[in-house]
Each structure stands twice: as C-alpha cells, then as structure tokens.
Amino acid sequence: MGHKRVVLITGANSGFGLLSSLSLAKRGCQVIAAVRDVKKSNELLDRAKREGTSHLIDVIQLDVTREDHIKEAFLYVESQYGQLNVLVNNAGYSAGGMIEKLEIEEWRKQLDTNLFGVITMTKTFLPLLKNGKGAKIINLGSISGRVGFPGLAPYVTSKFAIGGFSESLRLELLPQNIYVCLIEAGSFQTNIWNKGLESVCSKKNGMNDPFFDSIYQQAKQTAAGAQDPAEVIQLIVKISEAKKPKFRYHAGKGVRLLVLFKSILPWSLVEWLINKRLMKKK
C-alpha cells in the first residue's frame, strides 16, 4: 500500500460521491467507492478508466441501511488495507411532502439512510480510522440542517440531526487526533433534488392546495438554478488533505448569508420572509 491515503466514500455511484471519488483518485488516494447497487457503477468506472485512475478505485457493494453490508465492508477494508484515512458519509436522499400527508414509514426510511446510516458507518469504521494518523470523517450536511423548509421536513430533520451528531463526535474524537468535518451545502446539480422533486410531485396528485403548489414551484426553480458541484468536491479534497481541518464548511450561493440572517434576525421576521417568498405571485 505504501503511503497512499485510503478513502471510503458512500453513495459513490452519482453526484458528490462519484465526483469526489474521481477527484481523490486523481490526487493519488486509494478510493473505496461504496455503492448500493454495483450495476449502477458503470459511469464511475468508465470515467475512471478514461482518466487513468481505475487502479485507484475499488468499488464495493454497501447499503448504509443494512448492518450486514457495513460489517462485511469493514472486514474487507481491514483485510485489504488495514487502515482508513478518510470516511466520507455522502449517501442519502431527499424525501418531500407535507407533514400531514407523509406516512410514518417514509420518515423511518429517510432517517434510516440519512442519519442512522451515518452513525452506523462511523461507529463501525472507527477502529480503522484510529489506525490512520490524523484521520478525517467528512459528513455531508446541508443548509437544510440550519434552516427548516416547508415540504422537506423529513430531509430537514435528518440534516439537523447530522449537525448535532457531528458536533458531539468532533469533540469526542479530537483528543484521538481524528477530525470530524461537516459540509453544509446549498442546492447543487445532483440527482438528489430531481428525485426529491419526483417524490413531492407524486404526492401532489389530487391535492388542491395553493401553499403546497407554491412550495413545489419554488423547489422546481431552486433545482433548475442549482450550481455546479465542483465547489463541494474541492472542499472534500481540501479537508481530506488538511492537517487540522476546521469543523464547519459552507458551500453554495447564499448559504453563509442565510445562516447569518437566521442567527441574527428574530424568528418572526424569518418566517415572514419565507412565507412572503413562497406566496408571492408568479
């Protein structure tokens, strides 16, 4: 293995996971690209082949909601590499819809993937992270973990929870020279928003609710104006290479400003501004 840094990335078949796998392989890292369905890893493997990094990308099957998959992945990484320098908890999806219309099972599925998947991955791989000097755990959060948005309650809940989990974990692991970092991203061009919109649209049928319609239209506009994910990929690379990375990183247009506004404005003004934007005439 030499001195290659070993990086494990979940949800590596698309979006941030795919792009960060390719970028870190270009930087000479040994990337373990975890995907829920190996059949969907063709794009990753094809691009790696074209870029000459196939030998640095090891695709494994891993569904973060299945403990047996996570345990098998741990045993594989332990036997093949003996350590882990960077864990990127990227796997996740966005469930949409109004709270009163969402079934409890949809909440459980959302939290099982976005929250408990991250917790289980982190707990399981900690022994290998301790073998990697100055190891990093990079959790993909969201602006939705700082500001609640109507129509996205399950996703928002999962990301608020990831923020709290990451803060506590950071403080617990710092004495062991393991750095936990949270990337709070805005809207970027990844499949998560398209799939989220499909979820919202499926719940739209038969509903005659102007407020819900407005939320749906705002979500479509946000997805249409989503930014290139390069900024987030650069952050993941930067954190993985930093000696002592900070805890919280913001990415995306308007994210820092939105966080600042929520921290200094009274809540009554925050909710007035959100409702005014949602209900304005198109």
Side-chain angles (χ1 to χ4, degrees), residues 53 83 96 152 170 173 188 226 232 256:
T53 57
Q83 67 178 45
L152 284 175
R170 169 90 176 192
L173 295 182
F188 287 87
V232 175
R256 291 180 182 83

Side-chain angles (χ1 to χ4, degrees), residues 185-206:
S187 181
F188 287 87
Q189 294 169 10
T190 66
N191 288 339
I192 189 170
W193 295 116
N194 291 331
K195 291 177 181 177
L197 276 173
E198 289 172 6
S199 172
V200 174
C201 188
S202 69
K203 299 173 181 67
K204 213 172 164 289
N205 296 331

Side-chain angles (χ1 to χ4, degrees), residues 54 195 227 245 273:
S54 295
K195 291 177 181 177
Q227 301 162 82
L273 289 169

